[in-house]
Amino acid sequence: MIREYLVVFIVALILISTIMLLLHLFSGSETMESETTYIRGNIVLLPLPKIRKEVLSVEEALAYRRSIRSYEDKPLTLEQLSQLLWAAYGITETRYGFKTCPSAGATYPLEIYVVVGERGVVLPNGSFLEPGSYKYDPHSHTLKLVKRGDLRYELYRAALNQEWVLRAPVSIVICAVYERTTSVYGERGYRYVYMEVGHAGQNIYLEATALGLGTVAVGAFYDDKVQKVIGAQPDEHPLYIMPVGVPKKTYRISEQEIARYIEDHRRELETG
Ligand SMILES: Cc1cc2nc3c(=O)[nH]c(=O)nc-3n(C[C@H](O)[C@H](O)[C@H](O)COP(=O)(O)O)c2cc1C
């Protein structure tokens, strides 16, 4: 008799545990968890960088990279934003904190901001990142909210009304603190900073291409206005705005087309 009670008791226990587990999985506690997983007050804990198996080869990313100025009305995912920022200026060496970009004397003069539009970045639970300007910290791979609100219109005005800055769900703004490099290299440090921003920009271009996103390097803007819009520090000088979005049209070229082009030009060489 006691044995039968024991069996019923154990079966009931298993049933109750299973039901509780199912309830936990489907009750939305998962959703609550993912919200707090990524947002801690003013700080966004970005999903950790993935060094994924290549989706595109380096050569494909180079061949398919194009300046894209026309985007779908779609958000970026937090994971895409995480990968773009890591590619731009993320950590790739843990002893000295070296980054994806080469940097003269490892002085790392760049500071990266992100302007997130209304419904510009979707979180894994389907909610959206608060619109505003955020500053990237490569070491903790986090974003810190600097200014609240959809700043895209102001950024677009500061960028000589370039429509793509208004339409992109997100714009990455690369700033430089010249002093970090010029204090080591003097006047020559300025050119080193300009070279480095080019590296970071190309990293963003290639990562965007690999993720199926589109971007364009925007250099035409009023520095002081952009600085104010994003809430940068007085010594952080904006050098590039890179709007990023889901492209309306992706660019592709074949090896054959490139080969034909090169051969035509070789023929021109021969015929003088
Ligand atoms: C330093 C620099 C500044 C640029 N500024 C702008 C800009 O203000 N607006 C824009 O639409 N494109 C800008 N571009 C993108 C160029 O127009 C683009 O790279 C060029 O047309 C070649 O096209 P591709 O990038 O598709 O190869 C800039 C590019 C560089 C390198």
Side-chain angles (χ1 to χ4, degrees):
M1 191 67 171
I2 289 176
R3 255 182 72 186
E4 280 164 12
Y5 275 131
L6 208 63
V7 170
V8 170
F9 178 73
I10 289 169
V11 170
L13 209 65
I14 291 170
L15 263 172
I16 289 167
S17 315
T18 313
I19 290 167
M20 282 179 70
L21 183 72
L22 287 172
L23 275 175
H24 175 75
L25 286 177
F26 296 106
S27 66
S29 56
E30 183 83 341
T31 309
M32 295 279 292
E33 204 175 286
S34 30
E35 182 81 41
T36 51
T37 307
Y38 297 108
I39 313 289
R40 300 271 167 84
N42 271 357
I43 304 288
V44 182
L45 304 172
L46 292 162
L48 295 177
K50 290 206 170 82
I51 309 178
R52 298 158 310 154
K53 273 208 192 133
E54 56 195 39
V55 186
L56 295 185
S57 67
V58 174
E59 288 80 1
E60 284 169 313
L62 286 167
Y64 304 156
R65 182 209 65 81
R66 196 83 290 135
S67 289
I68 306 281
R69 300 179 179 83
S70 202
Y71 316 109
E72 300 279 1
D73 189 14
K74 282 185 187 160
L76 258 57
T77 66
L78 192 65
E79 187 147 335
Q80 288 171 329
L81 182 60
S82 159
Q83 290 299 116
L84 287 165
L85 292 170
W86 179 79
Y89 221 45
I91 297 296
T92 53
E93 192 273 349
T94 56
R95 185 161 179 204
Y96 301 107
F98 291 166
K99 299 178 181 168
T100 52
C101 274
S103 177
T107 50
Y108 297 111
L110 306 183
E111 292 293 336
I112 316 263
Y113 284 79
V114 187
V115 170
V116 175
E118 188 77 48
R119 299 169 82 84
V121 175
V122 65
L123 302 180
N125 68 356
S127 67
F128 290 91
L129 200 59
E130 177 170 2
S133 162
Y134 293 81
K135 189 173 182 178
Y136 178 55
D137 172 29
H139 300 283
S140 59
H141 195 58
T142 55
L143 286 174
K144 187 175 180 189
L145 184 62
V146 175
K147 250 177 106 176
R148 288 176 204 279
D150 192 336
L151 304 166
R152 286 179 301 174
Y153 182 74
E154 288 173 60
L155 193 63
Y156 147 81
R157 297 287 292 158
L160 316 175
N161 299 348
Q162 297 189 62
E163 198 75 18
W164 27 102
V165 176
L166 180 64
R167 301 276 169 240
V170 159
S171 277
I172 298 172
V173 184
I174 310 179
C175 300
V177 180
Y178 293 108
E179 177 67 10
R180 280 185 209 151
T181 310
T182 56
S183 64
V184 179
Y185 296 103
E187 279 295 301
R188 179 162 284 263
Y190 287 101
R191 82 160 74 160
Y192 290 164
V193 173
Y194 298 136
M195 289 166 177
E196 188 162 331
V197 80
H199 297 307
Q202 181 76 347
N203 286 358
I204 295 173
Y205 261 117
L206 294 179
E207 182 66 31
T209 309
L211 292 170
L213 300 171
T215 188
V216 53
V218 169
F221 50 77
Y222 298 109
D223 300 12
D224 52 340
K225 287 190 180 154
V226 171
Q227 197 180 42
K228 224 169 126 191
V229 171
I230 63 174
Q233 296 298 306
D235 62 347
E236 295 173 339
H237 301 280
L239 288 174
Y240 257 157
I241 300 175
M242 299 194 65
V244 190
V246 177
K248 283 213 165 131
K249 234 176 106 204
T250 45
Y251 175 76
R252 289 292 181 265
I253 189 164
S254 65
E255 279 177 11
Q256 290 76 10
E257 190 176 342
I258 296 173
R260 262 199 309 277
Y261 180 93
I262 292 172
E263 275 156 14
D264 284 351
H265 282 261
R266 285 183 182 176
R267 261 194 299 281
E268 272 174 31
L269 265 186
E270 282 162 16
T271 55

